[in-house]
Tab-separated table of all heavy atoms in Angstrom:
chain	number	residue	atom	x	y	z
A	1	SER	N	10.534	3.086	7.785
A	1	SER	CA	9.353	3.817	8.231
A	1	SER	C	8.199	3.540	7.291
A	1	SER	O	8.365	3.574	6.069
A	1	SER	CB	9.629	5.317	8.281
A	1	SER	OG	10.640	5.623	9.217
A	2	THR	N	7.041	3.272	7.858
A	2	THR	CA	5.830	3.077	7.079
A	2	THR	C	4.698	3.865	7.697
A	2	THR	O	4.739	4.222	8.873
A	2	THR	CB	5.431	1.594	6.995
A	2	THR	OG1	5.242	1.076	8.318
A	2	THR	CG2	6.496	0.779	6.282
A	3	ALA	N	3.692	4.136	6.897
A	3	ALA	CA	2.515	4.841	7.370
A	3	ALA	C	1.300	4.259	6.674
A	3	ALA	O	1.359	3.897	5.496
A	3	ALA	CB	2.630	6.333	7.089
A	4	TYR	N	0.189	4.179	7.412
A	4	TYR	CA	-1.035	3.609	6.876
A	4	TYR	C	-2.229	4.455	7.255
A	4	TYR	O	-2.277	5.055	8.333
A	4	TYR	CB	-1.271	2.202	7.419
A	4	TYR	CG	-0.232	1.188	7.018
A	4	TYR	CD1	0.864	0.927	7.839
A	4	TYR	CD2	-0.354	0.487	5.831
A	4	TYR	CE1	1.819	-0.009	7.474
A	4	TYR	CE2	0.600	-0.450	5.462
A	4	TYR	CZ	1.679	-0.695	6.284
A	4	TYR	OH	2.622	-1.624	5.912
A	5	ALA	N	-3.198	4.485	6.373
A	5	ALA	CA	-4.479	5.061	6.726
A	5	ALA	C	-5.147	4.185	7.779
A	5	ALA	O	-4.988	2.962	7.775
A	5	ALA	CB	-5.373	5.168	5.493
A	6	ASP	N	-5.894	4.807	8.681
A	6	ASP	CA	-6.562	4.049	9.733
A	6	ASP	C	-7.474	2.965	9.155
A	6	ASP	O	-7.619	1.886	9.741
A	6	ASP	CB	-7.377	4.979	10.626
A	6	ASP	CG	-6.514	5.844	11.522
A	6	ASP	OD1	-5.328	5.502	11.723
A	6	ASP	OD2	-7.024	6.859	12.032
A	7	SER	N	-8.064	3.226	8.016
A	7	SER	CA	-9.021	2.308	7.430
A	7	SER	C	-8.398	1.005	6.938
A	7	SER	O	-9.112	0.028	6.711
A	7	SER	CB	-9.766	2.984	6.278
A	7	SER	OG	-8.866	3.401	5.265
A	8	VAL	N	-7.065	0.987	6.762
A	8	VAL	CA	-6.418	-0.209	6.234
A	8	VAL	C	-5.421	-0.827	7.199
A	8	VAL	O	-4.861	-1.895	6.901
A	8	VAL	CB	-5.716	0.073	4.884
A	8	VAL	CG1	-6.693	0.699	3.899
A	8	VAL	CG2	-4.491	0.961	5.081
A	9	LYS	N	-5.200	-0.210	8.347
A	9	LYS	CA	-4.248	-0.747	9.317
A	9	LYS	C	-4.644	-2.160	9.736
A	9	LYS	O	-5.804	-2.433	10.023
A	9	LYS	CB	-4.168	0.153	10.548
A	9	LYS	CG	-3.411	1.446	10.322
A	9	LYS	CD	-3.367	2.280	11.599
A	9	LYS	CE	-2.595	3.568	11.386
A	9	LYS	NZ	-2.591	4.417	12.599
A	10	GLY	N	-3.660	-3.038	9.751
A	10	GLY	CA	-3.904	-4.417	10.121
A	10	GLY	C	-4.345	-5.288	8.972
A	10	GLY	O	-4.373	-6.522	9.107
A	11	ARG	N	-4.696	-4.684	7.848
A	11	ARG	CA	-5.135	-5.442	6.685
A	11	ARG	C	-4.176	-5.310	5.502
A	11	ARG	O	-3.988	-6.263	4.748
A	11	ARG	CB	-6.527	-4.989	6.239
A	11	ARG	CG	-7.602	-5.173	7.302
A	11	ARG	CD	-8.993	-4.905	6.733
A	11	ARG	NE	-9.137	-3.527	6.263
A	11	ARG	CZ	-9.427	-3.187	5.011
A	11	ARG	NH1	-9.620	-4.129	4.091
A	11	ARG	NH2	-9.553	-1.905	4.676
A	12	PHE	N	-3.604	-4.123	5.327
A	12	PHE	CA	-2.702	-3.866	4.207
A	12	PHE	C	-1.267	-3.775	4.704
A	12	PHE	O	-1.002	-3.280	5.808
A	12	PHE	CB	-3.053	-2.547	3.515
A	12	PHE	CG	-4.352	-2.539	2.758
A	12	PHE	CD1	-5.270	-3.579	2.869
A	12	PHE	CD2	-4.649	-1.474	1.925
A	12	PHE	CE1	-6.464	-3.557	2.167
A	12	PHE	CE2	-5.838	-1.441	1.221
A	12	PHE	CZ	-6.746	-2.478	1.344
A	13	THR	N	-0.333	-4.207	3.877
A	13	THR	CA	1.085	-4.101	4.185
A	13	THR	C	1.832	-3.570	2.975
A	13	THR	O	1.715	-4.122	1.878
A	13	THR	CB	1.680	-5.459	4.590
A	13	THR	OG1	0.973	-5.984	5.713
A	13	THR	CG2	3.155	-5.304	4.958
A	14	ILE	N	2.593	-2.499	3.177
A	14	ILE	CA	3.401	-1.949	2.106
A	14	ILE	C	4.836	-2.428	2.276
A	14	ILE	O	5.344	-2.528	3.391
A	14	ILE	CB	3.329	-0.407	2.075
A	14	ILE	CG1	4.014	0.146	0.827
A	14	ILE	CG2	3.918	0.207	3.340
A	14	ILE	CD1	3.767	1.635	0.595
A	15	SER	N	5.478	-2.740	1.171
A	15	SER	CA	6.867	-3.172	1.190
A	15	SER	C	7.527	-2.751	-0.107
A	15	SER	O	6.856	-2.307	-1.041
A	15	SER	CB	6.963	-4.692	1.384
A	15	SER	OG	6.344	-5.380	0.312
A	16	LYS	N	8.841	-2.888	-0.169
A	16	LYS	CA	9.540	-2.500	-1.383
A	16	LYS	C	10.782	-3.329	-1.605
A	16	LYS	O	11.358	-3.904	-0.680
A	16	LYS	CB	9.881	-1.005	-1.349
A	16	LYS	CG	10.936	-0.605	-0.333
A	16	LYS	CD	10.874	0.894	-0.017
A	16	LYS	CE	11.001	1.755	-1.251
A	16	LYS	NZ	12.419	1.851	-1.722
A	17	ASP	N	11.183	-3.375	-2.852
A	17	ASP	CA	12.396	-4.050	-3.272
A	17	ASP	C	13.201	-3.024	-4.046
A	17	ASP	O	12.927	-2.764	-5.219
A	17	ASP	CB	12.073	-5.268	-4.132
A	17	ASP	CG	13.305	-6.051	-4.532
A	17	ASP	OD1	14.423	-5.517	-4.465
A	17	ASP	OD2	13.148	-7.224	-4.917
A	18	ASN	N	14.177	-2.430	-3.381
A	18	ASN	CA	14.944	-1.364	-4.017
A	18	ASN	C	15.738	-1.851	-5.224
A	18	ASN	O	15.925	-1.115	-6.191
A	18	ASN	CB	15.886	-0.718	-3.004
A	18	ASN	CG	15.162	0.140	-1.997
A	18	ASN	OD1	14.013	0.526	-2.201
A	18	ASN	ND2	15.822	0.442	-0.891
A	19	ALA	N	16.202	-3.084	-5.162
A	19	ALA	CA	16.964	-3.634	-6.280
A	19	ALA	C	16.117	-3.715	-7.543
A	19	ALA	O	16.631	-3.568	-8.654
A	19	ALA	CB	17.522	-5.000	-5.920
A	20	GLN	N	14.820	-3.956	-7.375
A	20	GLN	CA	13.907	-4.051	-8.505
A	20	GLN	C	13.146	-2.753	-8.745
A	20	GLN	O	12.330	-2.691	-9.674
A	20	GLN	CB	12.917	-5.193	-8.291
A	20	GLN	CG	13.566	-6.566	-8.238
A	20	GLN	CD	14.193	-6.950	-9.560
A	20	GLN	OE1	13.628	-6.688	-10.627
A	20	GLN	NE2	15.362	-7.567	-9.508
A	21	ASN	N	13.402	-1.741	-7.919
A	21	ASN	CA	12.719	-0.456	-8.049
A	21	ASN	C	11.206	-0.639	-8.042
A	21	ASN	O	10.480	-0.044	-8.852
A	21	ASN	CB	13.150	0.257	-9.330
A	21	ASN	CG	13.667	1.654	-9.084
A	21	ASN	OD1	14.014	2.029	-7.963
A	21	ASN	ND2	13.726	2.447	-10.140
A	22	THR	N	10.741	-1.450	-7.120
A	22	THR	CA	9.337	-1.819	-7.072
A	22	THR	C	8.796	-1.700	-5.649
A	22	THR	O	9.471	-2.061	-4.688
A	22	THR	CB	9.133	-3.258	-7.571
A	22	THR	OG1	9.635	-3.367	-8.911
A	22	THR	CG2	7.667	-3.639	-7.562
A	23	VAL	N	7.582	-1.189	-5.528
A	23	VAL	CA	6.891	-1.130	-4.254
A	23	VAL	C	5.634	-1.986	-4.361
A	23	VAL	O	4.998	-2.049	-5.423
A	23	VAL	CB	6.560	0.323	-3.854
A	23	VAL	CG1	5.617	0.976	-4.858
A	23	VAL	CG2	5.976	0.366	-2.451
A	24	TYR	N	5.280	-2.644	-3.265
A	24	TYR	CA	4.148	-3.558	-3.248
A	24	TYR	C	3.117	-3.127	-2.212
A	24	TYR	O	3.435	-2.450	-1.234
A	24	TYR	CB	4.609	-4.976	-2.907
A	24	TYR	CG	5.642	-5.529	-3.849
A	24	TYR	CD1	7.001	-5.408	-3.576
A	24	TYR	CD2	5.263	-6.173	-5.020
A	24	TYR	CE1	7.955	-5.912	-4.437
A	24	TYR	CE2	6.210	-6.682	-5.891
A	24	TYR	CZ	7.556	-6.551	-5.595
A	24	TYR	OH	8.501	-7.057	-6.463
A	25	LEU	N	1.906	-3.542	-2.427
A	25	LEU	CA	0.848	-3.361	-1.444
A	25	LEU	C	0.089	-4.673	-1.331
A	25	LEU	O	-0.658	-5.041	-2.243
A	25	LEU	CB	-0.101	-2.225	-1.835
A	25	LEU	CG	-1.169	-1.878	-0.797
A	25	LEU	CD1	-0.524	-1.256	0.444
A	25	LEU	CD2	-2.207	-0.922	-1.380
A	26	GLN	N	0.311	-5.378	-0.235
A	26	GLN	CA	-0.423	-6.603	0.041
A	26	GLN	C	-1.720	-6.226	0.732
A	26	GLN	O	-1.703	-5.610	1.795
A	26	GLN	CB	0.399	-7.534	0.928
A	26	GLN	CG	-0.315	-8.828	1.299
A	26	GLN	CD	-0.553	-9.727	0.108
A	26	GLN	OE1	0.351	-9.946	-0.697
A	26	GLN	NE2	-1.765	-10.238	-0.027
A	27	MET	N	-2.837	-6.594	0.148
A	27	MET	CA	-4.143	-6.233	0.659
A	27	MET	C	-4.883	-7.494	1.059
A	27	MET	O	-5.209	-8.327	0.207
A	27	MET	CB	-4.941	-5.449	-0.381
A	27	MET	CG	-4.215	-4.218	-0.914
A	27	MET	SD	-5.241	-3.218	-2.022
A	27	MET	CE	-5.434	-4.369	-3.385
A	28	ASN	N	-5.145	-7.638	2.342
A	28	ASN	CA	-5.868	-8.781	2.875
A	28	ASN	C	-7.200	-8.335	3.459
A	28	ASN	O	-7.409	-7.161	3.737
A	28	ASN	CB	-5.040	-9.484	3.953
A	28	ASN	CG	-3.733	-10.029	3.441
A	28	ASN	OD1	-3.634	-10.471	2.295
A	28	ASN	ND2	-2.713	-10.020	4.299
A	29	SER	N	-8.076	-9.297	3.662
A	29	SER	CA	-9.393	-9.030	4.253
A	29	SER	C	-10.082	-7.867	3.561
A	29	SER	O	-10.600	-6.952	4.198
A	29	SER	CB	-9.239	-8.751	5.755
A	29	SER	OG	-8.636	-9.841	6.418
A	30	LEU	N	-10.099	-7.917	2.259
A	30	LEU	CA	-10.645	-6.810	1.480
A	30	LEU	C	-12.136	-6.621	1.724
A	30	LEU	O	-12.881	-7.584	1.915
A	30	LEU	CB	-10.374	-7.030	-0.003
A	30	LEU	CG	-8.935	-6.730	-0.423
A	30	LEU	CD1	-8.619	-7.361	-1.773
A	30	LEU	CD2	-8.711	-5.220	-0.482
A	31	LYS	N	-12.534	-5.366	1.704
A	31	LYS	CA	-13.917	-4.967	1.918
A	31	LYS	C	-14.432	-4.236	0.690
A	31	LYS	O	-13.654	-3.648	-0.054
A	31	LYS	CB	-14.019	-4.037	3.134
A	31	LYS	CG	-13.440	-4.600	4.416
A	31	LYS	CD	-13.465	-3.549	5.518
A	31	LYS	CE	-12.881	-4.080	6.803
A	31	LYS	NZ	-12.884	-3.054	7.878
A	32	PRO	N	-15.745	-4.231	0.476
A	32	PRO	CA	-16.286	-3.490	-0.665
A	32	PRO	C	-15.860	-2.029	-0.683
A	32	PRO	O	-15.670	-1.462	-1.765
A	32	PRO	CB	-17.800	-3.629	-0.486
A	32	PRO	CG	-17.956	-4.942	0.196
A	32	PRO	CD	-16.795	-5.017	1.155
A	33	GLU	N	-15.693	-1.424	0.484
A	33	GLU	CA	-15.281	-0.034	0.542
A	33	GLU	C	-13.837	0.198	0.113
A	33	GLU	O	-13.406	1.343	-0.016
A	33	GLU	CB	-15.507	0.558	1.944
A	33	GLU	CG	-14.975	-0.307	3.063
A	33	GLU	CD	-16.051	-1.184	3.689
A	33	GLU	OE1	-16.803	-1.825	2.929
A	33	GLU	OE2	-16.148	-1.223	4.935
A	34	ASP	N	-13.085	-0.878	-0.114
A	34	ASP	CA	-11.742	-0.758	-0.664
A	34	ASP	C	-11.760	-0.586	-2.182
A	34	ASP	O	-10.710	-0.341	-2.783
A	34	ASP	CB	-10.896	-1.984	-0.312
A	34	ASP	CG	-10.642	-2.119	1.177
A	34	ASP	OD1	-10.368	-1.087	1.830
A	34	ASP	OD2	-10.702	-3.250	1.684
A	35	THR	N	-12.913	-0.740	-2.786
A	35	THR	CA	-13.031	-0.602	-4.232
A	35	THR	C	-12.612	0.801	-4.663
A	35	THR	O	-13.150	1.798	-4.181
A	35	THR	CB	-14.465	-0.879	-4.687
A	35	THR	OG1	-14.797	-2.245	-4.418
A	35	THR	CG2	-14.629	-0.618	-6.174
A	36	ALA	N	-11.659	0.872	-5.572
A	36	ALA	CA	-11.126	2.153	-6.029
A	36	ALA	C	-10.068	1.899	-7.085
A	36	ALA	O	-9.642	0.763	-7.306
A	36	ALA	CB	-10.509	2.936	-4.861
A	37	VAL	N	-9.644	2.970	-7.725
A	37	VAL	CA	-8.444	2.923	-8.541
A	37	VAL	C	-7.273	3.251	-7.630
A	37	VAL	O	-7.290	4.268	-6.932
A	37	VAL	CB	-8.499	3.912	-9.717
A	37	VAL	CG1	-7.188	3.892	-10.495
A	37	VAL	CG2	-9.663	3.578	-10.636
A	38	TYR	N	-6.277	2.395	-7.619
A	38	TYR	CA	-5.120	2.566	-6.755
A	38	TYR	C	-3.955	3.121	-7.562
A	38	TYR	O	-3.605	2.587	-8.616
A	38	TYR	CB	-4.731	1.232	-6.112
A	38	TYR	CG	-5.646	0.846	-4.979
A	38	TYR	CD1	-6.962	0.464	-5.228
A	38	TYR	CD2	-5.214	0.883	-3.657
A	38	TYR	CE1	-7.822	0.139	-4.196
A	38	TYR	CE2	-6.062	0.547	-2.620
A	38	TYR	CZ	-7.362	0.179	-2.894
A	38	TYR	OH	-8.202	-0.155	-1.856
A	39	TYR	N	-3.360	4.188	-7.043
A	39	TYR	CA	-2.273	4.884	-7.719
A	39	TYR	C	-0.996	4.818	-6.897
A	39	TYR	O	-1.019	4.999	-5.680
A	39	TYR	CB	-2.624	6.356	-7.936
A	39	TYR	CG	-3.799	6.592	-8.846
A	39	TYR	CD1	-5.079	6.734	-8.333
A	39	TYR	CD2	-3.623	6.682	-10.223
A	39	TYR	CE1	-6.163	6.955	-9.166
A	39	TYR	CE2	-4.698	6.905	-11.060
A	39	TYR	CZ	-5.962	7.045	-10.531
A	39	TYR	OH	-7.034	7.274	-11.365
A	40	CYS	N	0.093	4.591	-7.573
A	40	CYS	CA	1.413	4.599	-6.965
A	40	CYS	C	2.046	5.975	-7.138
A	40	CYS	O	1.846	6.634	-8.166
A	40	CYS	CB	2.283	3.531	-7.627
A	40	CYS	SG	4.000	3.481	-7.098
A	41	THR	N	2.811	6.417	-6.144
A	41	THR	CA	3.486	7.698	-6.237
A	41	THR	C	4.863	7.624	-5.594
A	41	THR	O	5.130	6.747	-4.769
A	41	THR	CB	2.654	8.816	-5.576
A	41	THR	OG1	3.258	10.088	-5.837
A	41	THR	CG2	2.572	8.609	-4.060
A	42	ALA	N	5.728	8.543	-5.988
A	42	ALA	CA	7.068	8.648	-5.430
A	42	ALA	C	7.361	10.103	-5.110
A	42	ALA	O	7.033	10.999	-5.897
A	42	ALA	CB	8.110	8.104	-6.398
A	43	GLY	N	7.973	10.338	-3.961
A	43	GLY	CA	8.329	11.679	-3.544
A	43	GLY	C	9.442	11.639	-2.527
A	43	GLY	O	9.880	10.567	-2.114
A	44	ARG	N	9.886	12.818	-2.115
A	44	ARG	CA	11.032	12.870	-1.227
A	44	ARG	C	10.730	12.382	0.177
A	44	ARG	O	11.592	11.801	0.833
A	44	ARG	CB	11.590	14.292	-1.178
A	44	ARG	CG	12.513	14.609	-2.345
A	44	ARG	CD	13.704	13.680	-2.311
A	44	ARG	NE	14.651	13.945	-3.384
A	44	ARG	CZ	15.721	13.216	-3.633
A	44	ARG	NH1	15.993	12.168	-2.861
A	44	ARG	NH2	16.525	13.524	-4.638
A	45	PHE	N	9.505	12.594	0.650
A	45	PHE	CA	9.166	12.248	2.021
A	45	PHE	C	7.786	11.610	2.088
A	45	PHE	O	6.893	11.946	1.308
A	45	PHE	CB	9.194	13.497	2.924
A	45	PHE	CG	10.450	14.291	2.816
A	45	PHE	CD1	10.500	15.443	2.045
A	45	PHE	CD2	11.593	13.895	3.489
A	45	PHE	CE1	11.665	16.185	1.944
A	45	PHE	CE2	12.763	14.627	3.392
A	45	PHE	CZ	12.795	15.770	2.618
């Protein structure tokens, strides 16, 4: 299951590698409005 903000649908892809305990965010077709500090988080749901 994945979920995306409407503003990034079709441009960003989230994926993960459980063996490496790592989550990724592939960001394509970047726009100036994507400028921000990006934070990773973990939770139950």
Side-chain angles (χ1 to χ4, degrees):
S1 297
T2 58
Y4 296 93
D6 288 341
S7 60
V8 306
K9 286 181 179 178
R11 300 189 298 120
F12 291 10
T13 302
I14 188 169
S15 62
K16 69 200 304 283
D17 183 341
N18 288 343
Q20 296 295 320
N21 234 17
T22 302
V23 62
Y24 302 93
L25 185 68
Q26 178 66 46
M27 305 186 294
N28 299 326
S29 301
L30 283 163
K31 305 174 181 179
E33 48 263 47
D34 295 318
T35 295
V37 177
Y38 283 70
Y39 296 93
C40 175
T41 188
R44 278 298 181 185
F45 309 100

